[in-house]
Amino acid sequence: MNRQTRPAEFGGSIPADTFTGNRALDIEEALVFEIGRPEVTGVDIETPADFSPRLGLLERKPGIGLPGLSEPEALRHYVRLSRKNYGIDTGMFPLGSCTMKHNPRLNEKMARLPGFADIHPLQPLSTVPGALALLAELGHWLRELTGAAAVALSPKAGAHGELCGLMAIKAALAARGEARSIVLVPESAHGTNPASAALLGYRVEAVPARSDGTVDAAEVEKHLSAEVAAIMLTNPNTCGLFERDVVAIAEAVHRAGAFFYADGANFNAIAGKSRPGDLGIDAMHLNLHKTFSTPHGGGGPGSGPVVFSAALAPFAPVPYLVCDAGGLRYVEHAGEAEPGAEPFGRLTAFHGQMGMFVRAMSYMLAHGGDGMRQASEDAVLNANYVRAGLQDLMSLPFGERACMHEVLFDDRWLEGCGITTLDFAKAMIDEGYHPMTVYFPLVVHGAMLIEPTESESKASLDLFIATLRDLAMAAKRGEKARFVNAPRHAPRGRLDETRAARRPVLRWTNPPPQLNEQ
Ligand SMILES: *Cc1c(COP(=O)(O)O)cnc(C)c1O
């Protein structure tokens, strides 16, 4: 047990009134380097008799300095750290756009089946027909749900999927002998959209939204030219609103010879209801870790398959599966592609996130088509329930109309209270909630974006709404201390985020650096 108090520079304004600095089971956990003893080892293996190092001049002379702990000490250290983490299994996680939905345990059980869990990416294909069949079926249902012609399963996150989609667009333009230079991105877009376009050398041009928070086809038309390679549009958008001009936008983009990339992070609002392919979309990533319930946010890796329209399908990356008269064939190299296909290359070393594919497939099969549709409807219903429960106290930037799967508030309602969006979010931590997404999208001042997802019961939504109402009324009464000093009941208090960003301390040193020097 560590006898120490919380250092003030780590937001430790909370006086610990116990001898240890701990608060019951909330144990003040030091870093593993601070509790470990380099001379101690938790394993007991004799040096093999004929051991001779074979690394020549690369041989290490001094000790490696790893912190040594006994097995129970190591176990306790990591279990205690894990308890400091807020996750979807601890409570409601209303982070807008991120879709922190429940991770069904059935998915975990399926992913642990030895035939999926114990295979190796370098195993001969002939030994993994079941895994290939799962990839083919997952791809089939993703295409079915989106109305797409082809799918690339290998991208490892949404942002990686954006890169994949834009690379296919670039290859399709190159095949036409064109090298267009501009990608249009609405102002409300997620930061990864302009970043992905810039990474490929495109110039990003922002398209402003109209006053109702959606993009106007006429405005897009003004920005279109022979230099525009693509538009990247999120639908429903990051304000939680369905882009009602989406078909007109797709038509205008295609008339200009450009492609329509849809950011599919919000597909969980429309899965089973509308198919992006029918709306004229050429490429779209699907965040399996959002829409299809695979764990993320510290719980597991992302997975961002991309679906393609017929126009882009020939340029999809390897590897991919072909199902023809000869059965299932896995195309791993561009040279093996069928006539007419011109894969732009390969995006990842292996095949993608197999464990996440199994979980997403399990989620789809457990729900069925009607269940997927209901999950979307319930996600939208829950967000509107939260909107209706709070709109008399908190301000809605685009009026009291129905939203999709997330509800966006701004900070006009806090005017004159001396309390900011950040203070309000931090106060939610003291009440036991992970805050909503704040200050995104950027188009709304002091944004608070709440996405309850379909996972939450009415009882849990009622409790959440009641808590936010209590906090909102306390803010309006001017109870500043509750907000500006929050969080007061977390392992760490308010951090100096500006300083952490400007002067990050990225290495552990002994003794630790003096953080309070200017
Ligand atoms: C989450 C998200 C992304 C990026 O997805 P990652 O899987 O985190 O890379 C892109 N756009 C929107 C709107 C998102 O919500």
Side-chain angles (χ1 to χ4, degrees), residues 145-146 235-236 264-272 274 276 284 286 291-292 376:
L145 278 168
T146 53
N235 193 27
N266 292 339
F267 189 56
N268 61 311
I270 56 171
S274 88
M284 180 176 94
L286 294 154
T291 304
F292 298 96
S376 302

Side-chain angles (χ1 to χ4, degrees), residues 221-406:
E221 203 118 29
K222 278 191 228 158
H223 290 260
L224 287 168
S225 72
E227 272 306 305
V228 172
I231 188 168
M232 299 180 85
L233 195 77
T234 315
N235 193 27
N237 67 22
T238 58
C239 301
L241 306 169
F242 193 87
E243 292 286 359
R244 58 181 193 279
D245 284 5
V246 61
V247 172
I249 292 171
E251 285 167 2
V253 165
H254 290 152
R255 267 198 309 278
F259 290 95
F260 189 161
Y261 186 90
D263 178 330
N266 292 339
F267 189 56
N268 61 311
I270 56 171
K273 301 286 288 182
S274 88
R275 303 195 311 166
D278 299 339
L279 306 175
I281 278 145
D282 294 300
M284 180 176 94
H285 70 258
L286 294 154
N287 307 59
L288 299 188
H289 48 289
K290 294 179 181 173
T291 304
F292 298 96
S293 82
T294 75
H296 66 134
S303 182
V306 179
V307 291
F308 295 103
S309 65
L312 282 184
F315 305 96
V318 288
Y320 59 87
L321 277 154
V322 183
C323 193
D324 52 25
L328 215 51
R329 194 163 61 84
Y330 198 53
V331 179
E332 282 213 79
H333 305 283
E336 302 159 8
E338 63 281 17
E342 299 172 57
F344 72 71
R346 170 180 274 275
L347 213 59
T348 65
F350 292 117
H351 318 280
Q353 309 284 39
M354 187 65 195
M356 297 303 141
F357 298 155
V358 181
R359 286 171 175 84
M361 191 71 233
S362 161
Y363 179 78
M364 274 196 245
L365 292 181
H367 280 69
D370 57 336
M372 288 297 300
R373 190 178 324 118
Q374 192 181 340
S376 302
E377 287 172 355
D378 289 351
V380 173
L381 184 64
N382 281 0
N384 279 289
Y385 189 69
V386 172
R387 176 182 58 78
L390 296 173
Q391 66 188 14
D392 60 322
L393 286 175
M394 296 166 62
S395 46
L396 292 160
F398 305 114
E400 295 183 1
R401 64 188 167 114
C403 57
M404 296 294 290
H405 62 304
E406 53 197 358

